Amino acid sequence: MRLMNHALRAFLGRFVVVYFDDILVYSKSLDEHIDHLHCVLTVLRKEKLYANLKKCSFCLDKVVFLGFVVGAKGIAVHEEKVKVIKEWPTPKSITEVRSFHGLASFYRRFVKDFNTLAAPLTEIVKKSMGFKWGSEQDRAFIEIKERLCGAPLLALPDFSKTFEIECYASGIGIKAVLMQEKRPIAYFSEKLNGAALNYPTYDKELYTLVRALETWQHYLWPKEFVIHTDHESLKHLKGQGKLNRRHAQWMEFIETFPYVIKYKQGKENIVADALSRRYALISTLNAKLLGFEYVKELYVNDDDFASVFAARDKAAFGKFYRLDGYLVRENRLCVPNSSMRELLVREAHGGGLMGHFGVRKTLDVLHEHFFWPKMKRDVERVCFRCVTCRQAKSRVLPHGLYTPLPVPSAPWVDISMDFVLGLPRSQKGRDSIFVVVDRFSKMAHFISCHKTNDATHIADLFFREIVRLHGVPRSIVSDRDVKFLSYFWKVLWGKLGTKLLFSTTCHPQTDGQTEVVNRTLSTLLRTIIQKNLKNWEDCLPFIEFAYNRSVRSTTNFSPFEIVYGFNPLTPLDL
């Protein structure tokens, strides 16, 4: 099998499936199929691999492969296997029950509620139970045979279309259906055992979702999908202030998927809520934010925007207008009242390129792109409940006041420098951060270094990371660090016409700008670093971007915008 996979690796997943020495070539049209066959046979000839012509079949509209009948319309049960199941006599021993149960289980994906139906048979194959064939076992045996003989035609998955999952939970079992365009692709069911039988209804519904995602994760991870549930409280899981250990473990797994949940009440689908996931916001090379297609469906019944959406059906009015099915207010997308709002707030607050900043800066990020009533209230709620912020941020006030320095007139003309020391040694062996701040724009660069680096090494870092991007500064503010007091350091900048300003002894507050940045840097490190403290160096690019992208209260602009004239894109811009 390794040889076959290696020889045909260029075609796998495109139009070839290989299982040991069986090669299946699939195509959408006859002409395309001929081209695919030519490619495969050419490779086989080149690798000197030979096929048995008597065992080959070409240009078929359906084929038997691995016990299934695969055709253009979908996947079906093999007729010969169905005939065997239909004529299977009533089992007389545990061995015969296991044989039937094994064959039936092979086609369980075709039978809805298979595990619940087969529960009586499953019980008697246990070693502790012994063989006991009663009326329950006989009903289950007959029901499974009838279901398999009339098994539905399952659709083939189309990865260009949206997958849908329906989940159900009962007292003794759970079940789920994987679908596309209301056509079933596979069924899943499981009999509950042990502690799971005592789960409350809410936990059973959530467990059903977890088991379905585990079973079909290879279908669901690449693209956004929809989950249908008749349990309304699942919509509000993210609104809980606290999660118990079991829920937290399940949610950690669920949030790795790009999904949207739809509450199903009776025969009607009410509203679609985009549940939160922190990562996986970017899909394919054409990046876009997932979940926004479903926003269009929510405007009609939304309490905040329904009347405005209906009024703006044809033309713009006031600050609102329609664009590609979305409602827009002053170039900002209107977000209906759904958990999509919480998703956006969490991304703006603690996303991969954000920095767990406070309410004001999080609100500034959201105001650039989105609009909904009472946005500040939602931001305050998320920031207040953020566990990472509570653990990482200090409430100690700074000691004393900072002495103001002359205000610069242009970016990267007057800068300040300092070092953050005493960090754990990173995987690359570095234990300090060289901090350089532009006093005009407040832009900062965080450069990892060694505590033992002398003036020569620091000068090299400065030229490589600062002069390369911004040129040579006119003045530098620094405290009395050994690296800055080095004779070589002073002579070097003297030749460049730079005048060093030194703060007074025991008063690093004189260099107030860098001291503030150092404190912010420390907070960002604590919020972004995960369990492995040695990863702090890998986090520096994220921290630097978050710091320079956030709006400063002194200027009402971000450092990026002051220096470059525009703000760089974040996942929220996509």
Side-chain angles (χ1 to χ4, degrees), residues 255-268:
E255 287 187 351
T256 62
F257 292 86
Y259 67 92
V260 167
I261 194 165
K262 282 190 176 182
Y263 168 57
K264 189 176 182 181
Q265 185 180 27
K267 296 182 180 180
E268 297 180 0

Side-chain angles (χ1 to χ4, degrees), residues 539-559:
C539 296
L540 281 184
F542 298 93
I543 292 172
E544 184 176 312
F545 181 92
Y547 179 86
N548 291 325
R549 179 62 175 79
S550 62
V551 177
R552 294 286 168 267
S553 59
T554 54
T555 63
N556 289 327
F557 294 99
S558 69

Side-chain angles (χ1 to χ4, degrees), residues 164 166 182 226 228-229 262-272 297 301:
E164 299 178 51
E166 284 193 2
K182 304 302 179 183
V226 180
H228 299 276
T229 179
K262 282 190 176 182
Y263 168 57
K264 189 176 182 181
Q265 185 180 27
K267 296 182 180 180
E268 297 180 0
N269 289 333
I270 308 300
V271 295
E297 304 173 13
N301 299 316

Side-chain angles (χ1 to χ4, degrees), residues 386-406:
C386 181
V387 177
T388 302
C389 291
R390 289 192 173 192
Q391 292 175 341
K393 293 184 178 180
S394 171
R395 297 186 180 274
V396 179
L397 295 175
H399 301 288
L401 299 175
Y402 297 127
T403 303
L405 294 170

